[in-house]
Amino acid sequence: MQIKGYGLTNTGNHRQQNEDAFLVDNALGLYIVCDGMGGHEAGEVAAQTALQSAAGYLEENAEEIKQARQSVNPVPKMASLVRDAIQYSCRSVYGWRGRQKSDRGLGTTLTLLLSYGRHAVIGHVGDSRLYLLRKGAIHQLTHDHTLVQDIIDRGGLTPETARNHPLAHVLSRAIGVMESVQVDTLNLEILPGDKFLLCTDGISAFLSNAEMADVLKQHPGQRANRHLIEAALTNQSTDNLTAVIIDVFAEGQELAEEEERATQVLLKIDTLQSMYLFKDLSLPEIVRFVDRSEVVYTKRGQRLCAEGDVDDSLYIILEGRLRVIAGDIVVADLGEGSHVGEMAWLSGTPRSASVVVTEDGRLLRIRGKDFAALVYAEPVTGVHLLRELACELARRLASSNQIVKHVC
Ligand code: CMP
C-alpha cells in the first residue's frame, strides 16, 4: 500500500505573518499541520518548534515505525509513540515560551497522521482538523479543542448557534501553554482510495464539509490544495491557510488483495453505523470501538454462551443469526446489527440466558474490560453508547413482558 502527501500554505489576505507550519514526509509516512498563536513571530516559532520536535522524535524512532509496517494488526505502541512525540513537542514549546517572558499567549495546535503499512495513527491537539474522504463521503476525524466545542459537547450550544460565536477560536487545549497536554489519538485501518485532508482553521472555518468534499473529489494532489485555499479566500478567510492532502493507493496484484480487506473493514463499519446502538456515533467513535474489538466466526449449532456462564464479552452480529434461550423458552431471535452479552457486563452477574448460533456468520466481540476502558477513555462516546444500550434494554424488557403475559 502506498501513501503520498502534498502540502501548501498561504499567509492569506489579512495577516502580516504566516503562523502556520506543515510537514510532508512521504518516506516516514508522516504528515503534520500546526497553527501557531502569540503574534510578533512567537506563533511562527511555536508552530515550527512544535512541528520540528514532534517530527524529530518520530524520526529517531524510524526503525520501530518501519517494523510496525510489517504488522497486519494495528500496533498499540504506535499510538503511544505519537502521544510521546506530541508531549515532547509540548515540552519544547513550553521551554521556549519560558525563555520569552513577554509572549504570554504563545502556543500552537498540532495535528498529525503517521502511516505504517495498512494502518495510520492520528495525534491531535487544538482546532486544526483532519478529514477523511472515503467512498465519496467526508468525515471529520478530529474533535476541536475549543471552549465553544466544549460547550456544544455539554449541550449548551448547537453547532449552528456556535458558528459565529466570538470565542469560537479560543482553544481549550494547545501545545506549549502548559508543560504537558492531553493528546487525542485514533488508530485507523487505511484503505486504497482513501484521501485525507489535514488543515488549519483558515480553511476549515470558511468552507463547509460539502465544499471541501467537492474540491477533494474534483482535483488531484497539489491542485486540490490550491483550490481549497482559493475557495476559502473567496469565502473571506481572515486567517493563514494551510492544507496537506494525503492519497492512499495500491496498484496491480496488491490492489486486488487490498480490495478484499477493504470489503471486510467497510462491512464492520457499515454494520455498526446501521445499528441503533451506534446511530449517534461519528466515524471516529465507531473506529475506536472497532479498534478494541475482534471478529469471531460462528457456525450453526455452536453455543456462544450458556446461562450461568461467567464471562463479560459483548457481541455484535455482523452476519448470521443467534437465538437467546432462557430455561427452555426462546426469548429472542436476533439478526445482523443486534447485540448480545451486555447484561453480564453491566450487572457483573453470570449470563442470564444461553445463546446459540442458528445461522453461520461473524460477530464482533469486545471484552468487557475493553468496553469499560473505551467508555472511560472517551467519555462522550461512552455516554452515547451507554444511553443507546439503556434504550435497547428498555425495548427488550418491554418485549419480554409481552412474552411473560403470553406464557402466563
Ligand atoms: P447476558 O446475560 O450477558 O448473556 C445472555 C444474553 O442474552 C444477554 O446478556 C442479552 O444480551 C441476551 N438476552 C437475554 N434476555 C434477552 C431478551 N429477553 N431479549 C433479547 N436478548 C436477551
Side-chain angles (χ1 to χ4, degrees):
M1 196 120 86
Q2 297 175 53
I3 182 155
K4 188 158 187 205
Y6 313 81
L8 199 62
T9 189
N10 188 303
T11 304
N13 299 330
H14 294 260
R15 302 274 171 111
Q16 299 300 313
Q17 278 151 332
N18 191 343
E19 298 187 320
D20 286 357
F22 75 84
L23 176 94
V24 169
D25 182 342
N26 287 315
L28 192 61
L30 177 64
Y31 308 89
I32 311 182
V33 295
C34 291
D35 178 355
M37 56 193 184
H40 305 292
E41 289 179 11
E44 223 173 308
V45 177
Q48 284 296 342
T49 306
L51 183 140
Q52 280 162 22
S53 17
Y57 190 97
L58 292 168
E59 272 154 25
E60 275 178 26
N61 289 278
E63 197 48 43
E64 201 174 323
I65 297 168
K66 214 164 120 192
Q67 281 167 17
R69 284 188 197 143
Q70 313 308 324
S71 163
V72 179
N73 295 315
V75 181
K77 254 182 160 177
M78 288 298 107
S80 59
L81 189 66
V82 161
R83 235 176 271 123
D84 290 349
I86 296 179
Q87 290 297 2
Y88 175 69
S89 137
C90 186
R91 281 197 302 281
S92 307
V93 179
Y94 186 77
W96 186 81
R97 176 195 162 110
R99 297 189 288 278
Q100 315 294 309
K101 295 191 176 62
S102 61
D103 294 308
R104 299 179 66 205
L106 183 150
T108 181
T109 71
L110 189 153
T111 303
L112 72 78
L113 180 141
L114 174 70
S115 75
Y116 59 101
R118 292 165 165 175
H119 295 93
V121 54
I122 293 153
H124 167 71
V125 174
D127 68 348
S128 296
R129 288 187 178 173
L130 180 82
Y131 294 89
L132 166 65
L133 184 77
R134 176 177 278 176
K135 301 267 166 219
I138 192 160
H139 308 273
Q140 185 183 329
L141 298 186
T142 48
H143 195 69
D144 291 348
H145 300 143
T146 59
L147 291 183
V148 166
Q149 185 61 50
D150 292 352
I151 300 171
I152 296 173
D153 293 343
R154 292 195 192 102
L157 275 174
T158 63
E160 291 68 38
T161 51
R163 190 148 295 145
N164 296 316
H165 199 284
L167 299 178
H169 301 293
V170 179
L171 297 181
S172 54
R173 275 194 236 170
I175 300 281
V177 174
M178 307 237 246
E179 202 167 2
S180 68
V181 68
Q182 192 187 340
V183 179
D184 288 353
T185 56
L186 179 71
N187 280 315
L188 192 73
E189 248 186 281
I190 52 176
L191 304 177
D194 281 352
K195 205 182 264 279
F196 292 93
L197 166 67
L198 277 163
C199 66
T200 55
D201 63 345
I203 290 181
S204 57
F206 296 90
L207 293 178
S208 66
N209 283 11
E211 284 171 313
M212 280 192 263
D214 281 347
V215 173
L216 293 177
K217 282 184 218 167
Q218 282 169 28
H219 305 282
Q222 196 63 291
R223 246 178 41 209
N225 282 333
R226 269 198 296 276
H227 281 277
L228 284 169
I229 290 175
E230 276 165 23
L233 287 173
T234 306
N235 288 357
Q236 311 299 324
S237 175
T238 48
D239 210 337
N240 305 137
L241 309 95
T242 300
V244 170
I245 285 177
I246 308 156
D247 281 323
V248 182
F249 55 99
E251 288 162 340
Q253 174 61 25
E254 194 191 18
L255 180 60
E257 287 165 21
E258 288 300 326
E259 272 172 357
E260 171 53 23
R261 185 177 64 85
T263 310
Q264 303 298 329
V265 171
L266 294 173
L267 174 69
K268 275 193 257 179
I269 292 175
D270 288 351
T271 306
L272 295 186
Q273 271 176 333
S274 66
M275 282 177 67
Y276 200 84
L277 182 62
F278 293 91
K279 74 174 177 12
D280 286 334
L281 262 58
S282 62
L283 182 70
E285 289 176 310
I286 288 181
V287 164
R288 283 195 172 95
F289 185 91
V290 170
D291 191 40
R292 288 171 193 261
S293 53
E294 60 182 319
V295 175
V296 177
Y297 289 83
T298 49
K299 282 263 163 239
R300 185 185 149 90
Q302 177 187 341
R303 196 163 66 172
L304 200 63
C305 66
E307 197 170 333
D309 278 358
V310 177
D311 166 32
D312 64 356
S313 294
L314 277 88
Y315 297 91
I316 285 149
I317 308 175
L318 295 175
E319 275 173 346
R321 294 192 73 78
L322 300 177
R323 176 163 289 172
V324 182
I325 304 164
D328 48 13
I329 299 175
V330 173
V331 290
D333 271 313
L334 304 172
E336 198 180 296
S338 299
H339 60 90
V340 286
E342 74 294 333
M343 289 172 69
W345 176 70
L346 283 168
S347 62
T349 52
R351 294 291 189 204
S352 62
S354 301
V355 180
V356 292
V357 178
T358 48
E359 218 175 81
D360 291 3
R362 290 183 309 142
L363 312 174
L364 205 56
R365 169 162 83 179
I366 184 160
R367 291 177 196 278
K369 68 172 173 36
D370 292 330
F371 191 64
L374 176 69
V375 166
Y376 288 118
E378 308 290 339
V380 177
T381 309
V383 168
H384 275 144
L385 276 170
L386 292 176
R387 186 181 177 282
E388 295 308 336
L389 214 50
C391 291
E392 178 63 18
L393 283 172
R395 279 190 291 275
R396 286 187 182 177
L397 190 60
S399 109
S400 292
N401 287 347
Q402 292 303 321
I403 294 175
V404 171
K405 275 190 218 155
H406 185 70
V407 171
C408 300

